[in-house]
Amino acid sequence: MKGSEAPGQGPGYARIALLASGAMFLAILDSTIANLAVSDMHETFRGASISDFSWVITLYAIFFAALLAPAGRLADAVGRRALYTMGVGVFTVASLLCAVAPYLPFLLAARAIQGAGAAAMIPASLAVILFDTPPARRMAAIGLWSAAGSAAAAIGPSLGGVLIDASGWRSVFLINVPFGIALMVGVRAVRRSERVPGRFPDAVGSLALALGMGGLVLGVTQGSDWGWGTSRTLGCLAAGAVVLAYGVLRARTQPVPAIDTTLWRSRTFSLANVVSFFYGAALYAWLLCGVLYLVNVWHYSELKAGFVLSPGAVFSAIAAVGIGRVLGRRAGPRLMVIGGSLLIVGVGVWLVAVLPVEPHLVDLWIPTAAISGFGMGAVSTGVSTAAALSVPPAQFAGATGLNMAARQMGGALGIAVLASVLAGANISGTTAYAHVLLFCTVMAAVSGLAGLGLVLKPAPQPSAPATTAATTGTAAATGGEA
């Protein structure tokens, strides 16, 4: 058949892995690297308030989370290479617009567009690496992809500090441009998926999902600033929940739905989304809590704090790559998630008990960062493996979009809890940070409990091309599970 292809054929594994990991790295990096840029922006936009600058972070998070699920479904219509190119292209152009923004509203609009581009990059990147990787190497590929995301989340603060210290806040966005161009050039080596007319997902349902998810993330993110009992917060949460529910219900009746609800018939996929939500809540709050603790309690500079966080990122990447490559086929996602969660819980309990006011870098911080980072890499790889490999190849992108959306929603909740705990607290003492770490520990424990059900039954590899499966419906949507 014209345009057909079989998994595992095409460009070399190293090139495919670099393309997929590069997109993942950039998308996650920009959810953290801009945090330190906010204070430097005061020199450029003097008339703006702190709450105005917070939208530089919030808008990216909202559009990123809101569009992940609809973007995953777009791969069925335009193909994984086209979605990848579109996502990276939008992200790169928006990054350039952020870097040259003459006034704050322009920057905020560009950040929203950048978040939309990142939302397309995530599912497209994993679909590229999974479809174009032989089945025997897919767990290792997911480990590398997860390692890129874990490293980006933790490296963001230190890299942002270096760039801002050297060249100002605009360099935080400008650095994306050459890498984005390189990815767009490199993806040309990936062969096109066959494009079939009429496979675009339901537009009304896609809009409902995006608005609903965006409303929920907005309400959770701004709740601590607006007040949890105010009409704005409650209105966002209620409207978001209603519109999101409508989008999900509408998807059950559409020939080409905005999300493939049949994915949830897979017990493993459903549990992977639960794991992602609670892990995201633990991960995002844990990382931000670490930065704030080092700056406000140990009185480190933001640049030094960023570098001190680096060991956790290194061990997270080592765990993701090593577990995916060496232990993936033997351990399976369940053991990865449970083992990783136990490491995070153990470190969390220890830190809550002994969190010191005085710096203890060598004898406390580095060992706990290494252990917790290893645990985070294991959980990230395990849950990504479970979500992706519990569905057939034609549904890789859609499944990845839903799973990452769950993690982003959890992350928004985690940041909101952190903001609420620290609001009005003595941020130069350890009590408030211990409470945040206790929340993270509980979330990691719930994630591990949900991981008990992650029994992966690999989806059978179809003899027909995967692109054909994508165009003839979702016959094997459950991924071989009931």
Side-chain angles (χ1 to χ4, degrees), residues 214-304:
L216 288 174
V217 174
L218 175 61
V220 169
T221 302
Q222 297 298 113
S224 58
D225 290 334
W226 293 346
W228 291 106
T230 63
S231 58
R232 280 194 295 180
T233 301
L234 295 177
C236 282
L237 294 175
V242 170
V243 175
L244 182 62
Y246 168 75
V248 173
L249 292 174
R250 180 181 173 88
R252 298 169 64 91
T253 62
Q254 299 299 307
V256 186
I259 59 171
D260 188 356
T261 57
T262 61
L263 289 171
W264 291 324
R265 295 177 188 170
S266 165
R267 181 170 177 267
T268 294
F269 180 77
S270 297
L271 284 173
N273 282 273
V274 175
V275 171
S276 280
F277 178 84
F278 288 103
Y279 170 63
L283 173 68
Y284 283 82
W286 184 291
L287 293 177
L288 184 55
C289 180
V291 175
L292 297 175
Y293 172 76
L294 291 171
V295 170
N296 296 316
V297 181
W298 287 9
H299 303 294
Y300 284 4
S301 68
E302 291 176 331
L303 181 59
K304 184 177 180 180

Side-chain angles (χ1 to χ4, degrees), residues 166-398:
S167 306
W169 67 266
R170 296 183 188 275
S171 61
V172 166
F173 303 109
L174 193 61
I175 193 175
N176 294 329
V177 176
F179 291 105
I181 293 173
L183 292 177
M184 284 190 291
V185 172
V187 81
R188 293 174 63 86
V190 177
R191 289 182 294 172
R192 294 180 182 272
S193 306
E194 185 175 351
R195 180 176 175 179
V196 178
R199 292 298 301 175
F200 281 92
D202 172 40
V204 174
S206 298
L207 181 62
L209 288 172
L211 291 176
M213 189 77 74
L216 288 174
V217 174
L218 175 61
V220 169
T221 302
Q222 297 298 113
S224 58
D225 290 334
W226 293 346
W228 291 106
T230 63
S231 58
R232 280 194 295 180
T233 301
L234 295 177
C236 282
L237 294 175
V242 170
V243 175
L244 182 62
Y246 168 75
V248 173
L249 292 174
R250 180 181 173 88
R252 298 169 64 91
T253 62
Q254 299 299 307
V256 186
I259 59 171
D260 188 356
T261 57
T262 61
L263 289 171
W264 291 324
R265 295 177 188 170
S266 165
R267 181 170 177 267
T268 294
F269 180 77
S270 297
L271 284 173
N273 282 273
V274 175
V275 171
S276 280
F277 178 84
F278 288 103
Y279 170 63
L283 173 68
Y284 283 82
W286 184 291
L287 293 177
L288 184 55
C289 180
V291 175
L292 297 175
Y293 172 76
L294 291 171
V295 170
N296 296 316
V297 181
W298 287 9
H299 303 294
Y300 284 4
S301 68
E302 291 176 331
L303 181 59
K304 184 177 180 180
F307 279 112
V308 170
L309 290 171
S310 298
V314 172
F315 278 91
S316 179
I318 291 172
V321 174
I323 288 175
R325 183 184 300 273
V326 178
L327 299 179
R329 277 172 282 180
R330 297 180 181 178
R334 177 167 59 181
L335 187 57
M336 295 182 206
V337 170
I338 295 172
S341 297
L342 286 175
L343 290 177
I344 298 170
V345 169
V347 170
V349 170
W350 176 249
L351 288 177
V352 169
V354 304
L355 202 62
V357 175
E358 298 299 326
H360 288 268
L361 182 62
V362 176
D363 58 341
L364 176 69
W365 186 269
I366 292 180
T368 55
I371 296 170
S372 60
F374 196 91
M376 289 172 183
V379 174
S380 181
T381 302
V383 71
S384 297
T385 299
L389 299 189
S390 61
V391 303
Q395 295 170 298
F396 283 156

Side-chain angles (χ1 to χ4, degrees), residues 18-44:
L18 182 61
L19 288 169
S21 300
M24 176 67 161
F25 185 89
L26 286 181
I28 301 301
L29 180 70
D30 264 64
S31 67
T32 60
I33 194 173
N35 290 340
L36 298 180
V38 169
S39 58
D40 195 56
M41 290 176 185
H42 278 289
E43 299 298 320
T44 305

